[in-house]
Structure formats: structure tokens, C-alpha cells
Amino acid sequence: MPELEKTLYSGYIAQGNTVDRFEKELSSFIGCQNCVSVNSGSSALHIALLLAGVEQGDEVISTPLTAEPTNTVIKQTGANIVWADIDVNTGNICPDDVERKITNKTKAIVVVDYAGVPADIKRFKEIENKYDIPIIEDAAHALGASFNGEKLGNHFNFTIFSFQAIKHLTTVDGGALCIKNNELFEKAKLVRWFGIDKSLTRKENNIEVQGYKYHMNNVNATIGLVQLRYIEEVISKYIENGKYYDQWLADIPRLELLDYYEKTEPSYWLYTVKVEDKPSFIRVLNEKGIAVSDLHKRNDMHTIFRDSKSHLPNLDEYEKSWVHIPCGWWVEQEHREYIVNTIKQGW
Ligand SMILES: Cc1ncc(COP(=O)(O)O)c(C=O)c1O
């Protein structure tokens, strides 16, 4: 609150130095060079798609197992979504199926690290190089997760994060886009603010690219800067809880844990298990006071995506069993013990 008061009374509440500081500190946390803050993860994704050159009629390969904005934003560009199936062992988009779906119309591939579990980054890096098609990593769930010792945000042409209310880090609403290419980084800054270059006066400006009102402001950035002071500690609580479940839920009949790809370290935004008789699992745990759900509707079931309909046998299979159990920073030792013991009693 004191930090917010300072910003609010300063009179400078639009995008200014505080946003610059937030970007700098966020880049240093992620370990990336080029990080553009914006007003939402959706805006970050839209900018990434535009910079990848996605236009009306192009194809973008994506996964239906994600929060809707991943795919509504692709739709917003006028591109056609081509669904790739998931890997049933991880719930993440399957690289082999992505390769099968690539055509000469494919302009970008969106890879989601669902629930904070990194996708098969090694394989997707190979695909990005082999086909020269930019990968946009939607790491909205996966701040602080890593591959090969490097945090997400460093592996693909584009990576987006969301700082919406319930993410690992929140600015109330907000997002960021990490970009490898320096020229595209400069362009991203224009696209997020009407196409206007903030380092010049309005009179000196000549708008050459279509821009949007996607910038972050000093108020949200102030919240982000305070959140960043605690982010290591907060994320480590998610990770501790995730690892606790990895250990204590192994070998429970009728329950299967997810696999993680080699050299990946999840940040466990949600904890996913696969169970037999999912409706009963949800009902029994809910009755015992544990919030359990299969949070997201598979996106291909929404009418807006009907044109992309395709056969996704792995997702059909996964759908029957996947469910989330609580694992956020608020889950203490006594809670997670209670959750594990309750699951062990059966459903
Ligand atoms: C996987 C995923 N991608 C993108 C977004 C969009 O982020 P935002 O809500 O900040 O626009 C979300 C947000 O909920 C998300 O969960």
C-alpha cells in the first residue's frame, strides 16, 4: 500500500519510469534480454502473433487444452486454428502431432505450458529451427518454470506471461512478452502503444505500424514491483507442494501422475492427476472440503472454434481422467497431508 500511495499521489499513473523498472526487474528474474510489459497476457499473445506475421487466412497450430484466451486471441487475428493433439502423459501439446499438422500455410505454433508444466521444449526448439516457423510459448501458467537450467522466456522466438489476478505473480491484470529478436523487440514497443514511439514527441512521430492500447501503467507496475520482491518465495511454495504430491501420490491405486519432460522444472501453477472415475473423485473430495476440478473446458468444444474441429484421440482419452488438486502458495503442510490422506482413503 505505501508503494501504491506513492505512485497514485505522484500524479504519474500512466506508463512511465515505474513500468521501465518493472520490465528491468522482470527481465532480470527471467534472465532474458528483451521483455515488454503489457496490460494482459492476451495482449502479449496478440502482439506475438502479429510480429510472427500471422494474418487472415494463415494457419496457427495450437492446443485445445488451455484457457480460452490462448485460442480466442489466435482467432482475433483472422487466422485458422489447427488443433494438435496432446501427449497423454503430460497433457501438453504433442510435438509429433504438431509436425504432422504443419503445412505451407502454418505461420506460427502456440505451445502452452499447461498448469505450469513445461511442454517438450527440446523437441519444439528443434521444430522451430527445422521448419523456420516461430513458436510462441504461452507460459501464462509457468512463470519460474525452467528447461535445462534456464527459465521459460529464453527458449523460443516469443514467450508470453500473464499477471492476471490468480497467476504466480499478479499486477491485478497485466502481462509480458519476451522476444529474442532485437528488431522485433523495438517493434513490439510500438505495437503496444498505438504505433507511437514514446521516446519521441507526438510531432516527431510518424505512425507506420498498426498499434493498440496494450501498455502497462505505473499503478499495475508498482504492484508488480512489490510482487517481484517475494516471487522466489511464492513460486518455491508452489514447487514444494508439487514435489510433495509427486512423492506422496505415487503408487496410489486408480491414480496416475503426469510425466515431466527431461531437464524441465515445473512451477506447478495447478497440480494435475489422472484418476479413474473422475466424477466420483471430484464429488468425494469436494464433500471433504477440498477444491478439486477439471478447471478448463477443452477449447475445441466452443462453437467459435467449430471450423477447426478434428479428431484428437489422446485428448478424448485424457478428458476422462484429468483433474486438478490444490497446490498454490496458500496450501500448507497440514492441508497437503489432509489432501493426500483423503485421496488415500479412496473415492
Ligand atoms: C494459458 C493462458 N493463456 C493466456 C491467458 C491470457 O492471460 P490474460 O488473462 O492476462 O489476458 C491466460 C489467462 O488466464 C491463460 O491461462
Side-chain angles (χ1 to χ4, degrees):
M1 288 309 294
E3 298 291 333
L4 261 182
E5 273 199 4
K6 257 192 260 166
T7 299
L8 290 169
Y9 284 125
S10 75
Y12 203 132
I13 56 176
Q15 184 193 334
N17 291 341
T18 315
V19 170
D20 296 344
R21 265 203 299 135
F22 175 66
E23 282 176 354
K24 227 168 144 198
E25 292 194 18
L26 181 66
S27 304
S28 139
F29 172 73
I30 294 172
C32 70
Q33 290 273 322
N34 298 329
C35 180
V36 184
S37 65
V38 283
N39 61 359
S40 72
S42 303
S43 306
L45 188 54
H46 190 210
I47 297 176
L49 288 158
L50 296 173
L51 296 181
V54 173
E55 289 178 0
Q56 179 94 25
D58 290 334
E59 290 177 0
V60 175
I61 302 176
S62 181
T63 172
L65 189 68
T66 180
E68 284 81 354
T70 304
N71 293 310
T72 55
V73 176
I74 298 174
K75 193 90 182 147
Q76 190 180 328
T77 65
N80 300 319
I81 296 173
V82 176
W83 300 124
D85 207 347
I86 58 156
D87 175 344
V88 267
N89 299 314
T90 65
N92 277 326
I93 187 166
C94 168
D96 291 336
D97 204 41
V98 166
E99 275 201 279
R100 279 192 286 273
K101 306 276 168 74
I102 289 173
T103 71
N104 57 9
K105 286 191 178 169
T106 310
K107 269 289 173 60
I109 299 163
V110 176
V111 169
V112 179
D113 308 294
Y114 187 80
V117 173
D120 191 346
I121 301 203
K122 179 170 173 280
R123 284 276 282 112
F124 280 112
K125 277 165 99 104
E126 287 162 10
I127 290 173
E128 191 176 52
N129 289 330
K130 180 171 165 192
Y131 296 92
D132 197 22
I133 297 173
I135 286 187
I136 301 172
E137 182 173 26
D138 178 345
H141 294 179
L143 185 70
S146 59
F147 167 69
N148 214 4
E150 263 190 314
K151 289 207 177 86
L152 305 192
N154 293 290
H155 301 290
F156 298 107
N157 273 290
F158 306 98
T159 308
I160 74 108
F161 295 97
S162 164
F163 308 130
Q164 172 267 345
I166 59 168
K167 297 299 193 292
H168 289 102
L169 180 143
T170 182
T171 56
V172 179
D173 262 315
L177 169 59
C178 301
I179 304 175
K180 282 244 171 101
N181 180 290
N182 292 333
E183 267 173 47
L184 292 182
F185 173 58
E186 293 306 321
K187 194 165 170 193
K189 288 190 264 182
L190 295 179
V191 176
R192 82 166 153 188
W193 207 60
F194 310 116
I196 295 174
D197 183 344
K198 262 195 168 290
S199 65
L200 304 173
T201 65
R202 291 283 174 111
K203 290 287 179 70
E204 288 164 338
N205 257 283
N206 172 34
I207 297 177
E208 290 174 281
V209 295
Q210 176 65 56
Y212 300 83
K213 189 174 163 73
Y214 280 170
H215 67 284
M216 180 172 277
N217 63 51
N218 277 1
V219 180
N220 297 105
T222 300
I223 297 170
L225 279 166
V226 176
Q227 291 258 315
L228 274 173
R229 286 186 208 152
Y230 306 101
I231 194 63
E232 300 274 8
E233 192 187 323
V234 169
I235 292 178
S236 70
K237 287 191 175 164
Y238 285 83
I239 294 177
E240 264 174 47
N241 285 334
K243 287 191 186 298
Y244 180 89
Y245 291 135
D246 284 346
Q247 181 179 353
W248 295 100
L249 292 178
D251 305 321
I252 292 186
R254 305 171 74 218
L255 181 145
E256 213 184 303
L257 300 182
L258 294 189
D259 285 347
Y260 308 119
Y261 297 105
E262 239 178 80
K263 297 189 180 168
T264 59
E265 174 85 59
S267 58
Y268 299 96
W269 186 60
L270 300 165
Y271 194 88
T272 312
V273 289
K274 295 197 280 176
V275 293
E276 282 178 28
D277 195 357
K278 175 158 92 169
S280 175
F281 183 87
I282 294 177
R283 185 176 43 77
V284 169
L285 270 78
N286 282 346
E287 278 168 9
K288 295 190 175 164
I290 301 167
V292 168
S293 82
D294 51 355
L295 188 62
H296 293 113
K297 174 169 170 164
R298 50 186 282 185
N299 291 187
D300 54 335
M301 293 299 165
H302 288 287
T303 303
I304 190 177
F305 302 124
R306 63 184 173 272
D307 295 343
S308 302
K309 198 119 203 86
S310 65
H311 182 45
L312 303 168
N314 288 354
L315 183 55
D316 294 343
E317 187 55 37
Y318 192 77
E319 174 80 345
K320 294 179 198 149
S321 66
W322 72 286
V323 70
H324 300 304
I325 59 173
C327 89
W329 58 264
W330 54 93
V331 176
E332 306 282 351
Q333 172 67 15
E334 64 188 288
H335 304 133
R336 62 195 195 189
E337 266 176 26
Y338 173 68
I339 292 168
V340 168
N341 289 334
T342 306
I343 292 174
K344 279 186 173 161
Q345 285 161 21
W347 58 95

